[in-house]
Amino acid sequence: MAGYFEEMGWRELEDGEQPDHLLHMARFIFEFGFNEDFNAREWPKLPPPASQETVKNLPETTIESDGKSCPICLKKFNIGEKVTEMPCNHQYHTTCISIWLNTTNSCPFCRYELPTDDEVYEQFKRNKKRSEQKQEDLAVLHNSMFS
Amino acid sequence: MANIAAKRIKREFKEVMKSEEVAGGTIKLELVHDSWTELQGEIAGPPDTPYEGGTFLLEIKVPETYPFNPPKIRFMTKIWHPNVSSVTGAICLDILKDQWAAALTLRTVLLSIQALLSAAEPNDPQDAVVAKQYREDIQLFNLTARHWTNVYAGGPTAIWEFNQKVQVLLDMGIDEDQARVALSTFDWELERATEHLFS
Ligand SMILES: [Zn+2]
Ligand SMILES: [Zn+2]
């Protein structure tokens, strides 16, 4: 049995350790390919926080024009004010966006997603992308055969 | 109440008062007890729906952690809709749960609830009984929703047959809301509704 566990990248529970059923179920679904149905659905709760590394490395920019405000606290930015910019170019007060990204990983304005430190969620995203690609390939194939 | 929450609600409140929806009378927002933690929303039933002509009041509770967590909103006006509980007024809407984003505002949320009245999502129901009727007999659903709009939200269309049936149960000593829920649930079949109420 130990050989099988090792082969699957699993290990036996320590004395008194409880199994993480959700993680195991997710792995089971992902690794054995019973995932078509699971992937068709959305992540069933708020996605996890953005990875701390990514948040730390978000660039700081300076406000150059008048009239824009922070979408989180709705306060107007002053010209010359230093703000944090997301990869989607949306700008926020550094404190405002840090609190939000510590809750969930996407831009509050356009839902652009940052990477997370959550292994199961990242796997879910990869599988979802793969199944979308598969759908697309099937559609291309179908169209080439019937048009 | 946390500082950021109160400040943001104040800014939102000013913004919404200037909006064209408020000017056009399709949504309204009012403070309750001047506290910023509780507000009352109002939406007009959208045209070409069974809710047309009705005015629906919403209870809005703003959490300490707003806008990092969504406001808690429920219908105070009774409504017959697959995504709203016919008993508690609880709303099933993704942006009030796992699809909340801090850039959404009370204005955009009220508009989304109004849009939900135009386009129900019976596959993600809050009220299974209503959703079943919606899927299986859309005409009866529309009539029932119009009747509720008339009785609870000031809508223009009274449905004589339904009022008669409610009256029959009232004469038996049943509470009015209870009678209406039972009749609506059992597709306005008086016998089944009565049986249910007395079982
Ligand atoms: Zn801000
Ligand atoms: Zn963005």
Side-chain angles (χ1 to χ4, degrees):
Chain A
M1 275 318 273
Y4 179 69
F5 274 93
E6 272 161 36
E7 193 183 312
M8 300 306 289
W10 297 344
R11 60 172 182 79
E12 292 184 70
L13 293 176
E14 306 281 345
D15 273 349
E17 190 186 73
Q18 292 295 315
D20 184 342
H21 294 298
L22 186 65
L23 181 67
H24 289 167
M25 190 195 72
R27 279 202 183 137
F28 183 76
I29 289 166
F30 292 135
E31 287 170 10
F32 291 91
F34 299 122
N35 54 4
E36 292 303 329
D37 216 38
F38 190 73
N39 282 335
R41 300 194 359 229
E42 291 300 310
W43 186 250
K45 51 185 184 207
L46 196 69
S51 98
Q52 295 193 352
E53 196 59 29
T54 313
V55 177
K56 232 189 294 164
N57 292 327
L58 287 174
E60 195 177 65
T61 55
T62 308
I63 295 295
E64 280 161 3
S65 62
D66 210 2
K68 275 197 208 162
S69 50
C70 169
I72 292 181
C73 66
L74 303 180
K75 192 174 186 306
K76 276 221 165 64
F77 291 134
N78 299 315
I79 292 178
E81 197 172 353
K82 295 248 187 289
V83 297
T84 292
E85 188 165 307
M86 293 276 286
C88 50
N89 297 120
H90 291 123
Q91 297 168 317
Y92 298 91
H93 291 120
T94 305
T95 330
C96 290
I97 195 65
S98 313
I99 301 176
W100 176 254
L101 293 175
N102 202 22
T103 313
T104 187
N105 69 329
S106 61
C107 171
F109 200 78
C110 70
R111 300 186 193 271
Y112 176 94
E113 284 196 66
L114 295 179
T116 73
D117 291 327
D118 186 316
E119 193 192 324
V120 177
Y121 182 70
E122 291 302 313
Q123 185 70 48
F124 168 84
K125 266 204 308 193
R126 277 194 293 275
N127 280 40
K128 195 176 165 195
K129 208 169 155 193
R130 209 180 297 151
S131 94
E132 278 167 4
Q133 184 62 46
K134 216 174 358 177
Q135 289 296 324
E136 216 173 278
D137 292 348
L138 273 175
V140 170
L141 183 67
H142 180 271
N143 290 343
S144 72
M145 284 167 80
F146 292 100
S147 64
Chain B
M1 182 180 208
N3 207 15
I4 180 163
K7 279 192 179 155
R8 191 177 125 148
I9 289 288
K10 281 181 207 171
R11 290 192 189 108
E12 276 194 50
F13 197 73
K14 264 192 231 161
E15 206 55 43
V16 83
M17 287 309 165
K18 287 187 287 186
S19 73
E20 55 185 272
E21 293 86 16
V22 166
T26 58
I27 66 170
K28 239 193 231 174
L29 194 60
E30 274 170 25
L31 290 176
V32 179
H33 327 299
D34 289 317
S35 70
W36 305 108
T37 57
E38 199 174 330
L39 296 93
Q40 183 173 290
E42 195 181 300
I43 55 178
D48 303 318
T49 70
Y51 312 104
E52 182 170 14
T55 302
F56 298 88
L57 296 181
L58 297 147
E59 176 188 86
I60 304 172
K61 291 197 167 154
V62 182
E64 290 268 332
T65 50
Y66 187 77
F68 301 105
N69 289 107
K72 292 187 172 42
I73 304 187
R74 68 172 192 94
F75 274 87
M76 286 159 69
T77 306
K78 285 179 151 295
I79 182 168
W80 190 252
H81 186 286
N83 305 109
V84 184
S85 162
S86 56
V87 180
T88 64
I91 306 169
C92 181
L93 181 62
D94 55 0
I95 59 163
L96 292 176
K97 294 173 187 162
D98 50 358
Q99 291 296 305
W100 170 252
L104 292 166
T105 62
L106 294 180
R107 175 179 160 270
T108 52
V109 168
L110 289 180
L111 292 175
S112 302
I113 295 173
Q114 202 173 34
L116 188 66
L117 299 191
S118 301
E121 289 177 29
N123 295 324
D124 189 17
Q126 175 75 39
D127 195 311
V129 170
V130 185
K132 184 168 179 280
Q133 190 181 69
Y134 183 94
R135 282 194 304 263
E136 291 174 0
D137 191 345
I138 187 77
Q139 273 174 334
L140 189 64
F141 165 83
N142 281 332
L143 278 176
T144 307
R146 207 174 286 282
H147 168 73
W148 281 51
T149 304
N150 170 248
V151 174
Y152 296 116
T157 318
I159 295 169
W160 183 83
E161 188 200 333
F162 290 175
N163 288 335
Q164 288 299 105
K165 288 182 175 171
V166 171
Q167 189 58 48
V168 172
L169 292 179
L170 284 183
D171 293 343
M172 295 180 188
I174 308 273
D175 165 77
E176 187 184 331
D177 289 343
Q178 238 183 327
R180 186 163 289 110
V181 168
L183 284 163
S184 303
T185 300
F186 292 101
D187 296 339
W188 296 92
E189 289 173 24
L190 198 47
E191 221 168 282
R192 280 167 68 210
T194 315
E195 201 176 293
H196 169 76
L197 286 165
F198 286 99
S199 69

